[in-house]
Amino acid sequence: MVQKYQSPVRVYKHPFELVMAAYERRFPTCHLIPMFVASDVISEEKSDDDSTHRIERRCKLDIDAPRLLKRIAGVDYVYFVQKNTLNRRERTLHIESHNETFSNRVIIHEQCCYSVHPENEGWTCFEQSASLDIKSFFGFESTVEKIAMKQYANSIKKGKEIIEYYLHELEDEGTTHVPRWSPRPASPVKPVTPNTHSTTLPTMPAVAIAAPSETSKEGQADKLDADYINRYLGDLTPLQESCLIRLRSWLQETHKGKIPKDQHILRFLRARDFNLDKARETLCQSLTWRKQHQVDYLLDTWTSPQVLLDYYTGGWHHHDRDGRPLYILRLGQMDTKGLVRALGEESLLRHVLSINEEGLRRCEENTKVFGRPISCWTCLVDLEGLNMRHLWRPGVKALLRIIEVVEANYPETLGRLLILRAPRVFPVLWTLVSPFIDENTRKKFLIYAGNDYQGPGGLLDYIDREIIPDFLGGECMVIPEGGLVPKSLYRTPEELENDDIRLWTETIYQSASVFKGAPHELLIEIIDASSVITWDFDVCKGDVIFNIYHSKRAPAPPKKDPLGAHGITSPGGNNVQLIDKSWQLGQDYSMVESPLTCKEGESVQGSHVTRWPGFYILQWKFHSMPACAATNLPRVDDVLATLQVSSHKCKVMYYTEVLGSEDFRYTMNLRFKKGGLFTCINNTSSN
């Protein structure tokens, strides 16, 4: 496979002729390039007016390779052939080089060009590209490739330093100007006797020694300047610069019209560890997605519904100590279920996308303001108030979809995530969502429980004191309180379906009818102690009492309900009874949670950490009025009685899930200490 390398345009803020004078001082020997051993001129020719000078040279190099590899290859030195063409009229120097040694096994080709800066005649540009094709090398192909890549990176870095060194040397000697070439009567090109010490000298191949950077003749707009990269994109290695240049050039060739900004391209490269093929694939998929959904115009076209303005507890707030835009989300105060029921999944997704688009815009602004590259933002999430209500399954499903979309289309935009006041329920939420979060993103999470964020290594290490919000002890009142979304704003499933937005309750929730004397019961078998049983149910009609029982032995299989004709076991109103009338509470089974009374219209979420293996029974029981509590009718009689009194029928819609003990413990090194969540901090590096 051919490996190709390109580097950004390096700019010397000196005239072309002065740069050429500095370049010539690199040869015939240069103490800054110890691996360059010798060179012999093969051929040389000049035009009569001295405007063109061509020279071909054979260079001897001592490659920095393991001695064992040199012995196996049978060589101590490697030879390269270089062809240089200096055009003083056009003010360009073109350099081509290829390896002579092992040319049947390894093909190295390089092209370099010095030219006048297109916008400033007093500056000089240097461009460089190289390719490496290893066909075979005694079984050491990967080793040779690594050596070549390392040599290329070193040469890119060293090349500009060498030119700058000799420019300073010329300046110290008093040479700050070299006259430009002026035309003279031309005559045919004549051969020149080879001279090993000719003053117009070649560069060395980038993969072998030191020479700066980038491409062949293309439109200048297609190129990236090294100073621009350093100023707006950050410190990149030569190989990372090469990946950015090549992917950008490919997009210009294949994607007609608008292409993404360099910062956006770089995010996809970073997310794929600069694997060019993987980054190109994911970036192209994202570009297609953006086009299909008109995401580029989202900030201009999206208007947040009033319910979001009133009840969404998040917003942008200044910047952190690194200059990154700061987004604050009070997740614990947010009615996630109400927002999903009132808006639907699609509207919430569009709102989150608009937040990400706004974040990209703010990063660009802060880059200009602070004079350094800022490519990501910081997010502060306050979990005070988080409980099982936030684990309402359709809401979690919507969250997972949002995470999936954001991870695919906004990689490397999160610089740091500060999670504050994490409660005990947080591990359950984390277990659900963490598998959908990229590993590199998870490393940027900093998690604090209780008031641990106020101490050393806490919030003040990342955010200035004067911008800390009031709910965290500061003086800024910036984020709305949120509150419960009124049920009057809820939309029916039919309305959401008409907008092509389907709630997840249609597929994961079950319905059950509860009668006086005929509770609905659900059996869950637990193998491992310390597993977690979670539940989420809505009381659609009537009042119920929710109980959890444990038994060492399994109840008898439920009998088919003879009252199915009356609709009790129909899909819209299932009823299952498991606890036999002969069972004695405290002997055959035991209660593991205090009874919970739930009123009509309530939404209930909760969890139970199991202490023993065995069988757990979740029970929804008809809630009798106190006056009826003393009545102790036989169970069947109660059921028959309820059929005649419609008010004795309740209906619930429920979803349950069991989390294994290992999954529950895996909470990104979260630990419980003294009944509370103990702080876990994963240090994150600045991007």
Side-chain angles (χ1 to χ4, degrees):
M1 180 178 178
V2 179
Q3 296 287 343
K4 296 182 179 180
Y5 311 97
Q6 284 183 285
S7 295
V9 177
R10 308 288 175 175
V11 178
Y12 301 98
K13 297 182 179 180
H14 301 277
F16 176 80
E17 288 73 22
L18 189 62
V19 173
M20 289 297 97
Y23 173 75
E24 289 174 359
R25 292 201 171 199
R26 296 172 49 173
F27 307 101
T29 59
C30 176
H31 67 280
L32 299 175
I33 315 175
M35 67 180 65
F36 176 49
V37 179
S39 64
D40 296 316
V41 175
I42 300 175
S43 65
E44 185 177 7
E45 59 182 20
K46 293 182 180 179
S47 63
D48 189 58
D49 62 359
D50 204 31
S51 64
T52 305
H53 185 185
R54 299 185 181 92
I55 184 171
E56 184 174 356
R57 187 178 296 273
R58 188 170 183 261
C59 304
K60 182 180 179 181
L61 307 174
D62 184 7
I63 298 297
D64 183 16
R67 176 59 58 180
L68 176 62
L69 184 59
K70 289 185 177 181
R71 287 185 178 180
I72 294 175
V75 298
D76 288 324
Y77 302 100
V78 174
Y79 291 89
F80 277 80
V81 174
Q82 295 182 328
K83 298 179 180 180
N84 298 350
T85 301
L86 174 63
N87 190 322
R88 295 187 175 91
R89 184 193 303 271
E90 301 292 337
R91 304 177 75 191
T92 60
L93 172 63
H94 290 280
I95 307 163
E96 294 186 10
S97 61
H98 64 273
N99 62 305
E100 184 180 76
T101 307
F102 303 121
S103 58
N104 61 329
R105 295 179 178 272
V106 180
I107 300 175
I108 302 174
H109 186 261
E110 182 188 54
Q111 292 183 324
C112 304
C113 177
Y114 287 91
S115 62
V116 178
H117 193 285
E119 298 178 1
N120 190 328
E121 287 194 354
W123 293 356
T124 304
C125 296
F126 179 78
E127 308 171 51
Q128 179 178 352
S129 64
S131 63
L132 171 66
D133 185 8
I134 302 178
K135 299 183 180 299
S136 64
F137 204 86
F138 312 104
F140 289 89
E141 290 79 11
S142 60
T143 302
V144 172
E145 182 177 357
K146 290 179 181 178
I147 293 173
M149 292 175 65
K150 178 181 178 181
Q151 206 67 61
Y152 174 80
N154 291 337
S155 70
I156 295 297
K157 181 179 180 180
K158 193 70 175 176
K160 187 174 182 180
E161 295 177 359
I162 293 173
I163 294 296
E164 295 285 0
Y165 173 84
Y166 287 117
L167 284 169
H168 287 303
E169 188 176 80
L170 286 169
E171 184 179 358
D172 293 340
E173 295 172 0
T175 303
T176 58
H177 175 73
V178 175
R180 291 178 57 173
W181 174 87
S182 57
R184 289 182 297 178
S187 61
V189 175
K190 58 183 180 181
V192 179
T193 303
N195 179 358
T196 60
H197 297 291
S198 173
T199 57
T200 304
L201 298 155
T203 67
M204 297 297 100
V207 293
I209 76 146
S213 45
E214 193 198 355
T215 60
S216 58
K217 276 289 181 184
E218 300 171 4
Q220 189 65 29
D222 296 345
K223 303 169 185 175
L224 289 180
D225 181 272
D227 293 337
Y228 159 82
I229 289 178
N230 185 63
R231 167 66 177 80
Y232 292 99
L233 303 180
D235 186 21
L236 303 177
T237 68
L239 295 180
Q240 291 172 345
E241 292 175 342
S242 173
C243 289
L244 175 60
I245 298 294
R246 292 172 59 201
L247 182 52
R248 187 177 188 266
S249 299
W250 182 83
L251 289 170
Q252 288 170 329
E253 294 175 1
T254 58
H255 287 62
K256 303 303 179 183
K258 183 179 180 181
I259 67 170
K261 297 178 180 179
D262 301 319
Q263 294 89 337
H264 197 67
I265 299 174
L266 188 57
R267 289 187 181 98
F268 281 85
L269 285 167
R270 283 176 171 150
R272 297 298 177 267
D273 295 324
F274 287 88
N275 183 307
L276 196 60
D277 292 334
K278 291 181 179 180
R280 178 168 52 201
E281 179 182 358
T282 55
L283 177 56
C284 288
Q285 292 173 353
S286 179
L287 292 177
T288 300
W289 171 82
R290 294 181 69 90
K291 183 176 181 180
Q292 289 176 341
H293 299 281
Q294 297 292 292
V295 179
D296 288 338
Y297 310 103
L298 188 61
L299 290 180
D300 298 325
T301 59
W302 168 251
T303 301
S304 297
Q306 189 61 42
V307 67
L308 276 176
L309 299 177
D310 295 338
Y311 298 99
Y312 188 84
T313 55
W316 292 101
H317 180 58
H318 296 280
H319 55 79
D320 67 5
R321 290 183 180 271
D322 296 320
R324 296 166 172 165
L326 174 64
Y327 190 85
I328 299 179
L329 180 65
R330 301 185 67 180
L331 184 59
Q333 303 300 315
M334 187 181 298
D335 181 9
T336 53
K337 177 177 181 178
L339 290 175
V340 173
R341 295 286 290 268
L343 293 170
E345 186 177 307
E346 189 66 25
S347 292
L348 278 177
L349 174 59
R350 287 184 176 273
H351 181 64
V352 173
L353 295 181
S354 70
I355 293 173
N356 280 269
E357 290 295 307
E358 174 66 15
L360 296 178
R361 187 187 66 79
R362 287 174 178 259
C363 285
E364 293 182 14
E365 290 182 352
N366 286 17
T367 295
K368 298 176 182 178
V369 171
F370 292 97
R372 63 178 183 273
I374 296 174
S375 61
C376 52
W377 54 79
T378 292
C379 185
L380 186 156
V381 180
D382 178 33
L383 297 184
E384 178 71 16
L386 186 77
N387 53 48
M388 292 304 296
R389 178 181 180 83
H390 293 85
L391 300 185
W392 181 61
R393 195 61 180 180
V396 173
K397 288 287 188 180
L399 174 62
L400 295 181
R401 184 196 170 199
I402 290 172
I403 291 175
E404 181 181 14
V405 172
V406 171
E407 285 282 305
N409 298 286
Y410 299 93
E412 294 298 316
T413 54
L414 180 65
R416 182 181 295 118
L417 179 64
L418 302 170
I419 299 178
L420 273 57
R421 302 197 285 189
R424 293 193 62 181
V425 72
F426 174 71
V428 180
L429 177 62
W430 177 251
T431 301
L432 293 173
V433 303
S434 60
F436 296 86
I437 302 175
D438 181 75
E439 181 179 356
N440 290 332
T441 302
R442 293 201 298 266
K443 293 178 181 178
K444 301 172 183 178
F445 285 29
L446 297 165
I447 304 174
Y448 304 89
N451 293 320
D452 291 339
Y453 69 91
Q454 297 178 348
L459 189 58
L460 286 176
D461 284 2
Y462 307 102
I463 299 176
D464 291 331
R465 185 181 300 275
E466 55 267 23
I467 68 168
I468 293 180
D470 57 334
F471 56 87
L472 294 177
E475 298 180 356
C476 292
M477 300 180 64
V478 291
I479 307 301
E481 292 290 337
L484 295 177
V485 178
K487 292 187 177 181
S488 60
L489 298 178
Y490 284 13
R491 303 172 67 191
T492 65
E494 291 76 15
E495 290 174 325
L496 296 173
E497 183 177 354
N498 290 337
D499 293 333
D500 294 325
I501 304 171
R502 294 181 179 271
L503 293 177
W504 290 98
T505 53
E506 297 175 1
T507 56
I508 67 172
Y509 279 75
Q510 299 183 52
S511 295
S513 294
V514 181
F515 298 89
K516 187 176 181 180
H520 177 72
E521 295 165 346
L522 178 69
L523 181 67
I524 298 176
E525 183 178 6
I526 296 296
I527 305 299
D528 298 323
S530 299
S531 296
V532 182
I533 302 174
T534 66
W535 57 84
D536 172 28
F537 62 89
D538 286 352
V539 184
C540 303
K541 182 180 180 181
D543 300 339
V544 299
I545 297 176
F546 179 67
N547 291 299
I548 305 178
Y549 300 103
H550 173 262
S551 174
K552 294 181 179 179
R553 60 189 177 100
K559 299 179 180 179
K560 186 173 181 180
D561 192 344
L563 303 176
H566 296 277
I568 297 178
T569 59
S570 65
N574 188 33
N575 180 272
V576 177
Q577 300 169 40
L578 299 168
I579 299 177
D580 192 87
K581 281 181 59 177
S582 62
W583 278 24
Q584 297 294 319
L585 183 63
Q587 179 177 339
D588 300 291
Y589 66 108
S590 60
M591 182 179 292
V592 297
E593 289 276 2
S594 300
L596 180 64
T597 302
C598 308
K599 301 292 185 180
E600 180 174 331
E602 286 188 357
S603 179
V604 181
Q605 296 83 33
S607 65
H608 174 76
V609 180
T610 62
R611 296 179 60 185
W612 315 281
F615 299 90
Y616 288 79
I617 301 171
L618 276 58
Q619 182 193 74
W620 289 267
K621 184 178 180 181
F622 185 88
H623 178 45
S624 301
M625 298 300 293
C628 303
T631 304
N632 189 17
L633 297 176
R635 194 168 195 178
V636 175
D637 292 343
D638 277 346
V639 174
L640 294 176
T642 58
L643 293 178
Q644 302 173 9
V645 184
S646 60
S647 61
H648 288 175
K649 177 180 178 180
C650 301
K651 185 175 181 181
V652 296
M653 187 168 61
Y654 67 92
Y655 175 83
T656 63
E657 185 175 15
V658 177
L659 301 178
S661 57
E662 292 299 322
D663 291 337
F664 184 71
R665 292 191 187 100
Y666 173 69
T667 56
M668 198 183 62
N669 297 327
L670 290 171
R671 304 190 303 273
F672 288 93
K673 184 178 181 182
K674 295 181 180 179
L677 186 64
F678 189 71
T679 305
C680 164
I681 298 179
N682 281 330
N683 290 327
T684 176
S685 58
S686 298
N687 284 341

